[in-house]
Amino acid sequence: MFTVCRLLLICVCICISANFLIAQSASNPWKLLADVDIKDRYDEEAGYEISYPVFGDKAQQLNGKIITVEGYMIPYEVYLGPKYFILSSLPIAACFFCGGAGPETVMEVFTTHSIELTDETIKVRGRLELNPDDPDRMMYILKDAKLVK
């Protein structure tokens, strides 16, 4: 009897832990977006191999979905104005452009309203599009985004 109760308690703890981890991932899409591999394939137009993302199931589940993501605005040199910016999961000192992480830690953001450039973390909500084929764009693109306060 004691062993059955102990086994039941362990099963309940595992279920609670699993639900907690799922909730954490849902509140932090960067963890799910990290489910990507980079593979080289020959590009006919370019005439050489180019690296392309291959999205895993976790990342693909977010494609086309409205997500809320928190991060840091990157003052990108091709800054197209206050309705377009790069969002990084890491501060600029550790971001992809500075060599501290991979391309899965940044996304392009197109907003419906102007957002002033800041070095503080921000939250934006928009529709995520995965980009498996255009090497001139980032692999994650957030469209119709709005600042979440």
Side-chain angles (χ1 to χ4, degrees):
M1 179 70 172
F2 180 71
T3 307
V4 172
C5 289
R6 179 181 264 176
L7 185 59
L8 184 60
L9 180 62
I10 291 170
C11 288
V12 168
C13 289
I14 289 171
C15 289
I16 290 171
S17 297
N19 285 335
F20 181 70
L21 290 174
I22 290 168
Q24 279 187 328
S25 294
S27 67
N28 184 1
W30 290 114
K31 291 179 183 180
L32 299 175
L33 295 174
D35 183 22
V36 63
D37 287 322
I38 306 298
K39 303 283 185 190
D40 290 338
R41 67 180 193 231
Y42 186 78
D43 186 287
E44 293 286 334
E45 206 171 293
Y48 51 86
E49 285 193 350
I50 296 179
S51 298
Y52 289 92
V54 178
F55 300 105
D57 291 338
K58 292 176 187 174
Q60 286 183 20
Q61 289 176 4
L62 296 178
N63 191 32
K65 301 277 189 331
I66 302 295
I67 65 167
T68 301
V69 63
E70 186 172 344
Y72 299 86
M73 295 176 85
I74 302 297
Y76 188 53
E77 67 184 46
V78 188
Y79 184 70
L80 298 176
K83 291 186 179 181
Y84 170 83
F85 58 90
I86 306 302
L87 188 70
S88 173
S89 65
L90 304 168
I92 191 165
C95 77
F96 169 60
F97 298 99
C98 302
E104 74 281 355
T105 64
V106 291
M107 69 175 58
E108 292 180 68
V109 178
F110 292 88
T111 63
T112 57
H113 296 86
S114 298
I115 298 178
E116 189 174 327
L117 189 63
T118 179
D119 59 354
E120 302 292 321
T121 58
I122 65 166
K123 275 187 185 180
V124 287
R125 177 187 303 266
R127 184 178 35 83
L128 181 71
E129 288 185 7
L130 301 183
N131 172 25
D133 296 316
D134 185 352
D136 293 328
R137 304 286 306 273
M138 294 192 175
M139 65 176 81
Y140 303 116
I141 302 168
L142 195 66
K143 293 196 170 179
D144 303 322
K146 294 181 176 140
L147 186 64
V148 177
K149 296 189 183 200

